């Protein structure tokens, strides 16, 4: 396994690398797969926080996005604390599953309250022409001074609704590998952990063709915290199928009843009870889609497949 030191340390200053090797100890925690939180003391003894987040890029390879509370890290530059954390991650083998030939790109995300130097500007005092009366000259000087004070006091305007490129790219990558929304209230009994959670895969292609929200019932494995993870496996719900109605828990039965009550595809008869129906796909009408999809998001049951025609294996 090629270490992060060999992959990324060419982006660091040699002085930061040497300083990072002397810092320690490093306290590390992994809130979820691909994410590392670390705390380390710098040369002055102050604690600095470093966050690493590994994600898959749309065009291949992996991207390691980092944030740091050090001065250089807040300005979007690799620092000694980040170098020390990467060395500790290599020592513990946290990212050892990365293939040797997989490229890894490093992105140091600057802090939101840091303003680039090229965005700052200084107000210049307007020259006073010869022959200008003293009263007008003093008034012009006062207006210039007031304008300078206002320019210094006024914060640099930032774009309103538009996000930076790295934030939009990060959200796009997260949609590839995570459910639409995680809810802390999602609870599944321990006896059903091996079967996984009932989720609904939103088929983008079929939804576009049928002008409705087409959902595919699926099973998704759970991690140690009880959150859905991995890749969803489509199932058929019904008597003698992959999952019977009685095998679902109360929350899953309630969600399924609301979805099938909206519309269903491939059912034998609308008059039959839900326990006797065979459900492989569910089509939610455009009128009911906002409420039904919001319900799935709130309960952490919605999974999105962004590009099914180009890469059906990517979820």
């Amino acid at each position: 396994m090629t270490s992060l030191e060999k992959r990324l340390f060419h982006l660091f200053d040699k002085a930061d690398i040497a300083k990072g090797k002397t810092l320690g100890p490093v306290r590390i925690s992994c809130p979820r797969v691909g994410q590392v939180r670390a705390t380390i003391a710098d040369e002055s003894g102050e604690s600095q926080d470093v966050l690493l987040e590994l994600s898959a890029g749309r065009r291949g390879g992996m991207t390691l996005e980092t944030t740091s509370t050090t001065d250089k890290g807040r300005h979007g530059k690799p620092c000694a604390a980040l170098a020390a954390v990467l060395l500790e991650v290599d020592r513990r083998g946290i990212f050892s599953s990365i293939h040797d030939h997989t490229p890894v790109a490093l992105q140091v995300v600057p802090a939101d309250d840091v303003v680039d130097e090229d965005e700052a500007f200084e107000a210049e005092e307007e020259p006073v022409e010869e022959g200008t009366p003293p009263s007008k000259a003093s008034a012009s000087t006062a207006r210039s001074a007031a304008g300078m004070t206002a320019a210094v006091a006024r914060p640099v305007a930032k774009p309103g609704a538009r996000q930076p490129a790295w934030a939009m790219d990060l959200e796009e990558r997260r949609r590839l590998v995570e459910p639409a929304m995680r809810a802390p209230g999602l609870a599944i009994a321990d006896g059903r952990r091996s079967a996984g959670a009932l989720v609904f895969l939103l088929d983008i292609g079929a939804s576009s063709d049928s002008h409705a929200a087409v959902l595919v019932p699926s099973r998704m494995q759970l991690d140690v915290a009880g959150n859905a993870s991995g890749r969803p496996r489509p199932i058929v719900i019904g008597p003698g199928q992959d999952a019977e109605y009685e095998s679902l828990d109360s929350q899953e039965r309630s969600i399924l009843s609301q979805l099938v009550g909206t519309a269903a595809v491939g059912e034998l008869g609308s008059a039959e009870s839900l326990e006797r129906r065979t459900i492989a796909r569910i089509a939610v009408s455009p009128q009911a889609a906002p409420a039904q999809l919001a319900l799935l998001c709130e309960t952490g049951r919605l999974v999105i497949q962004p590009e099914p025609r180009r890469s059906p294996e990517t979820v």
Side-chain angles (χ1 to χ4, degrees):
M1 192 268 306
T2 304
S3 63
L4 295 178
E5 177 183 3
K6 295 181 179 179
R7 295 173 188 260
L8 304 176
F9 271 26
H10 65 281
L11 303 174
F12 289 73
D13 293 338
K14 294 183 179 179
D16 290 332
I17 297 176
K19 186 183 300 182
K21 293 181 178 180
T22 62
L23 297 179
V26 182
R27 297 194 299 272
I28 286 183
S29 63
C30 299
R32 61 180 178 83
V33 177
Q35 189 179 81
V36 173
R37 294 184 181 273
T39 303
I40 186 173
D42 57 15
E43 60 274 9
S44 62
E46 296 183 359
S47 296
Q48 303 292 345
D49 296 328
V50 178
L51 174 64
L52 309 181
E53 187 162 1
L54 186 69
S55 57
R58 285 183 63 87
R59 298 174 180 84
M62 306 293 289
T63 300
L64 183 64
E65 292 196 0
T66 69
T67 58
S68 175
T69 57
T70 63
D71 185 62
K72 294 186 69 174
R74 287 173 51 81
H75 285 78
K77 300 177 181 179
C79 59
L82 176 59
V85 172
L86 292 180
L87 290 173
E88 183 66 15
V89 168
D90 283 342
R91 188 184 70 83
R92 301 191 184 191
I94 296 177
F95 293 150
S96 60
S97 59
I98 302 177
H99 195 274
D100 290 346
H101 300 291
T102 301
V104 178
L106 177 65
Q107 291 185 4
V108 183
V109 181
D112 295 335
D113 57 347
V114 174
V115 180
D116 295 337
E117 295 179 358
D118 55 356
E119 295 181 357
F121 64 91
E122 297 181 358
E124 298 181 358
E125 183 178 356
E126 297 181 359
V128 180
E129 297 181 359
E130 296 183 1
T132 304
S135 59
K136 293 184 178 180
S138 59
S140 176
T141 304
R143 287 195 302 268
S144 176
M148 183 183 299
T149 304
V152 173
R154 183 173 60 253
V156 178
K158 294 185 178 180
R162 186 174 181 179
Q163 292 183 324
W166 64 264
M168 292 186 292
D169 190 33
L170 175 61
E171 287 298 323
E172 190 129 4
R173 290 199 303 273
R174 281 177 173 168
R175 285 197 296 268
L176 294 177
V177 297
E178 292 187 354
M181 183 179 295
R182 296 181 183 273
L186 176 61
I188 298 178
D190 294 338
R192 297 187 55 254
R193 288 185 181 273
S194 59
L198 176 65
V199 298
F200 296 89
L201 175 64
L202 179 60
D203 192 331
I204 302 295
S207 299
S208 177
D209 295 338
S210 60
H211 302 287
V214 178
L215 304 172
V216 180
S218 305
R219 283 292 188 190
M220 205 166 181
Q221 293 299 319
L222 303 177
D223 57 18
V224 293
N227 298 318
S229 62
R231 181 176 298 175
R233 177 176 58 86
I235 61 174
V236 178
I237 301 175
Q241 303 298 327
D242 299 330
E244 297 187 359
Y245 183 78
E246 292 76 8
S247 65
L248 307 178
D249 60 28
S250 58
Q251 185 185 46
E252 292 173 345
R253 287 196 296 268
S254 174
I255 294 174
L256 187 63
S257 300
Q258 296 183 53
L259 291 176
V260 175
T262 304
V265 176
E267 299 183 35
L268 298 178
S270 58
E272 292 186 5
S273 61
L274 185 60
E275 293 83 353
R276 300 181 57 185
R277 297 183 185 182
T278 299
I279 303 172
R281 300 168 74 84
I282 301 172
V284 183
S285 64
Q287 294 76 17
Q292 299 299 333
L293 296 184
L295 170 66
L296 296 179
C297 287
E298 291 173 359
T299 55
R301 303 280 183 168
L302 183 64
V303 181
I304 301 176
Q305 188 176 29
E307 297 182 352
R309 289 189 175 91
R310 293 185 180 180
S311 53
E313 74 285 353
T314 303
V315 176

